[in-house]
Each structure stands twice: as C-alpha cells, then as structure tokens.
Amino acid sequence: MDSSGLYMKEEISCMTELRSRLQSWAEKRKMKNNSRLALNYLESDSTVWRYCLAHDYDIDAAESMFKHSIVWKEEEVKIHELYNEWRGEQFEIDSNRVAQQRNPSSNRSLLGESVFYGGILDAKSKNGGPVLLERLGTVDYSGLKHNKEAQDACFNSYIVYMEEAWRHLQEAGGKTRATYVIDSHGLSLSVIAHINFVKRITGLMVPNYPEVTEKVVIIRAPYFFNALWKLVQPFLPKRTRNKVSVFGSDYLTQLAKLVEGGVDSLPTFLGGNSDQHSICPTMKVKAALSIVESSTET
C-alpha cells in the first residue's frame, strides 16, 4: 500500500510499470502534436489506475488501451475541439477550477444535444462521483437510423458526455467512479431492430473511458429486458457486466440511497422532486432538424 493508503502493492506495481513503458511515447506525442494529453494522464495516479484496473493489471493490455484511447481522442475525434464546440468556452469557478456549460456553438452540436438522451445530474453519488443518467426509452431510434447527420451528432454528444464524466473523475481523483443509471421507461420491443446503435455506443465508451463506472443501475426495465440483455451482453467486458443491477418497482427508494440529497436530488420524470437537471431533451429527429434550421435562419 502507498503512503496515502489508497493503492495496494499490485496496483502500484502496475501503475509504475505502465508509466515507465509510456513516458517516452507520451513525450514524443507532445513533440509531434503539441498536446500534453498523454503526459497529463500519466501524471495522474487516478487515471493510470483506471487503465490498470480495466484489464485486471495486465500491463500489456493496459498499455495498448492507453495508446489507443489517446490516438482516438487526439486524431479521430479531436476531443478538445469537440468538447469546446459542444460545451462552449471555459469559465472560471475559482482560482483552482474552471468549468464549461452546455452551450452548443454549431448546427451539428445543437442537433446532437437535441436528439441525445442523457446527461449528468447536479447531485453526486454517495461516494462522491458523478451520477450519469440515460433515458433509453425516449430515443428516436428509427429517425436516427435513417438520418446519418443526426446519428453522427448524437454519437458526438455521447462522446462529449463521456468526456465530461471523465473530467469529473479526474478532478475528484483517487478511486472515485460514477454511478450509471439507465432508465428504460418507454422502451419498446422495436429497439431490438436497432441493436447496432447500442453496439456502436458501447464501442465508444468501453475502450476509451476505462473504469468510469462503479455500478450500473437499470430501472423500469420492460418485460422483454432479458431478451435484450442477451443481445447486449456480448458487447460488454465481463467487468462491466458484473457491475449491472436491475432495480424493481421500488427503484426510487433504492436510487435515493445512492445519491446525495436522496429523492430531492432526483428529477421529477423519475418520481423525484428536482426540476433542475441537465438531461438532454431527446427530441424526435424531424423536430430537432427544424430547430437547427430555425436557428440558422435567425
């Protein structure tokens, strides 16, 4: 165990070896791309620990995952630019912290935030981590399937949402992880025809944001949930599958035990008392496109 008492011997060993293997690679990326992303990750015990834990301290696998996620963020999605486009410019909270608000600055970001279905609650979980909430039963799956522009914008919103959660965890430090709530209310059997949507979303999260979640809670599950779960399971690592719990009809009581402030911190659409939340509106694609068109005209 380290002097802080937080990391065990096996964890420290993996973290030390992973840093040793990646330091030179990260420095070269800084020179090549003028980006400190990899170096910043290596300087954070919390972040390095997540890569080690994701592969049960298999250093080769952790190294591969680290490199893949950095290249993906810097070269494929250009995460810094994407985040600023979706969230707006940073503003200072105090001398040590900055934050960003949801302020789409382009047509595609406005479209993405209009059709997206999730967000982060204002209240934290009892363990100090963010509470992520997704309303899968409100998604216009058919509309997204038939409109690539809207689908891509929705996926970008998902990436920014994951990046936002990741930054919350980096700020919290240590072994803090998120509580992930999936609200299935309104989900119909037709979602099975859109399983590739779920597969693509999973492919964005798992390899690029390791160990974001401590627990995954599914509420208001439909009668066909078991059939849907059998289709989704193969896309998820065993570690993620083992975090999943399904809450029954008393889900509100159980959720309240997980969140600071209890029922008063949960949104009204779940039966809570809070009207203050940043969950995206999940509009139909056609309606969202009309809003984008109107904003362009003005």
Side-chain angles (χ1 to χ4, degrees), residues 4 28 32 48 54 66 85-86 92 137 142 149 165 175 198 206 215 237-238 244 256 259:
S4 69
K28 289 177 182 178
K32 175 185 177 183
V48 176
F66 186 98
E85 180 183 345
W86 252 249
E92 188 172 304
S142 180
E149 178 188 10
K175 294 183 176 181
V198 179
V206 174
K215 59 185 65 178
K238 183 178 180 181
V244 175
V259 181

Side-chain angles (χ1 to χ4, degrees), residues 45-225:
D45 286 345
S46 178
T47 302
V48 176
W49 169 76
R50 295 178 200 281
Y51 283 95
C52 288
L53 182 62
H55 290 283
D56 294 317
Y57 311 107
D58 179 329
I59 297 174
D60 290 338
E63 178 184 8
S64 177
M65 184 185 213
F66 186 98
K67 289 180 176 179
H68 173 276
S69 66
I70 293 293
V71 171
W72 179 79
K73 289 182 180 183
E74 288 186 338
E75 299 180 14
E76 290 189 40
V77 301
K78 301 187 186 306
I79 194 63
H80 179 72
E81 293 86 349
L82 184 70
Y83 195 86
N84 285 340
E85 180 183 345
W86 252 249
R87 289 292 182 263
E89 292 302 315
Q90 295 183 346
F91 63 92
E92 188 172 304
I93 298 176
D94 55 40
S95 59
N96 297 314
R97 295 185 300 157
V98 295
Q100 287 177 290
Q101 55 191 338
R102 176 173 281 141
N103 184 24
S105 61
S106 65
N107 286 344
R108 68 171 190 158
S109 58
L110 177 59
L111 178 59
E113 292 297 272
S114 297
V115 299
F116 187 52
Y117 52 90
I120 300 176
L121 297 186
D122 292 338
K124 293 182 178 180
S125 70
K126 291 289 180 67
N127 70 5
V131 180
L132 282 58
L133 175 60
E134 297 179 17
R135 305 180 69 186
L136 292 188
T138 64
V139 180
D140 182 8
Y141 294 102
S142 180
L144 291 174
K145 180 179 180 180
H146 293 98
N147 189 298
K148 188 176 186 303
E149 178 188 10
Q151 185 178 135
D152 288 345
C154 183
F155 287 132
N156 279 331
S157 280
Y158 187 87
I159 292 168
V160 171
Y161 159 66
M162 278 291 107
E163 179 68 19
E164 187 173 16
W166 182 255
R167 294 184 184 192
H168 276 292
L169 296 176
Q170 288 182 309
E171 183 179 334
K175 294 183 176 181
T176 304
R177 286 179 286 175
T179 298
Y180 199 151
V181 181
I182 299 175
D183 179 17
S184 302
H185 181 65
L187 204 61
S188 70
L189 194 59
S190 64
V191 71
I192 292 177
H194 304 287
I195 198 66
N196 284 337
F197 179 92
V198 179
K199 182 178 180 180
R200 185 176 172 187
I201 286 287
T202 305
L204 294 174
M205 176 186 173
V206 174
N208 300 301
Y209 294 100
E211 291 301 319
V212 165
T213 58
E214 180 177 30
K215 59 185 65 178
V216 180
V217 176
I218 298 172
I219 62 172
R220 302 199 280 190
Y223 70 91
F224 57 87
F225 173 76

Side-chain angles (χ1 to χ4, degrees), residues 218-287:
I218 298 172
I219 62 172
R220 302 199 280 190
Y223 70 91
F224 57 87
F225 173 76
N226 287 339
L228 182 61
W229 181 238
K230 287 180 181 179
L231 293 174
V232 172
Q233 278 193 85
F235 309 150
L236 302 172
K238 183 178 180 181
R239 286 190 57 82
T240 303
R241 296 198 302 269
N242 290 342
K243 297 175 184 178
V244 175
S245 300
V246 181
F247 287 177
S249 58
D250 64 339
Y251 71 88
L252 185 60
T253 301
Q254 295 188 68
L255 278 182
K257 294 177 181 178
L258 300 177
V259 181
E260 290 182 355
V263 174
D264 289 338
S265 296
L266 295 172
T268 52
F269 63 77
L270 291 183
N273 299 326
S274 177
D275 290 320
Q276 303 297 317
H277 62 79
S278 57
I279 311 303
C280 285
T282 329
M283 301 175 67
K284 296 288 187 182
V285 169
K286 186 176 180 179

